[in-house]
Amino acid sequence: MILEAAMLQIKQGLTAEFEASFRQASPLIASIEGYQGHELQHCLEDEHKYLLLVKWRTLEDHTIGFRESAQYQEWKALLHRFYEPFPAVEHFTGVNLE
């Protein structure tokens, strides 16, 4: 499993509109092969900051399967205008601690 993480800084005064657009966009990402779940967390210290976590089967399910899809174009149209600055997206894999 690959964990995608993005810290999202939302433009001033647009958090309610962002959350509504994110609800609309959520089924788009969920429809992609290899998608295993996502969550959006709202920061307690900064009302304009969110953490997006998405679980993918493989890195390519995100970087190719999603980003090269028609659904991504819709996702982008719904959400990218809210970000200031545009977020860095990173991918993580679990560490065996045994």
Side-chain angles (χ1 to χ4, degrees):
M1 191 266 307
I2 301 299
L3 181 63
E4 169 195 352
M7 192 68 67
L8 310 175
Q9 190 70 36
I10 305 305
K11 294 175 185 173
Q12 291 284 78
L14 296 180
T15 56
E17 189 178 345
F18 165 72
E19 287 183 17
S21 290
F22 195 90
R23 283 184 195 91
Q24 188 178 353
S26 286
L28 297 169
I29 197 168
S31 71
I32 301 298
E33 187 174 338
Y35 163 88
Q36 297 183 338
H38 74 284
E39 59 185 85
L40 183 66
Q41 300 287 327
H42 193 195
C43 181
L44 295 175
E45 291 80 16
D46 180 346
E47 68 179 277
H48 294 95
K49 187 183 286 186
Y50 293 81
L51 175 63
L52 172 61
L53 300 171
V54 185
K55 294 177 183 176
W56 297 100
R57 182 185 55 210
T58 68
L59 178 62
E60 293 75 21
D61 288 331
H62 176 227
T63 59
I64 297 169
F66 181 52
R67 287 206 179 150
E68 293 183 6
S69 70
Q71 292 93 320
Y72 180 72
Q73 295 309 310
E74 291 181 60
W75 172 277
K76 188 170 144 177
L78 285 167
L79 298 174
H80 284 197
R81 65 186 176 92
F82 292 105
Y83 307 142
E84 183 68 36
F86 195 80
V89 176
E90 299 176 303
H91 300 91
F92 298 84
T93 189
V95 175
N96 184 349
L97 298 177
E98 295 178 8

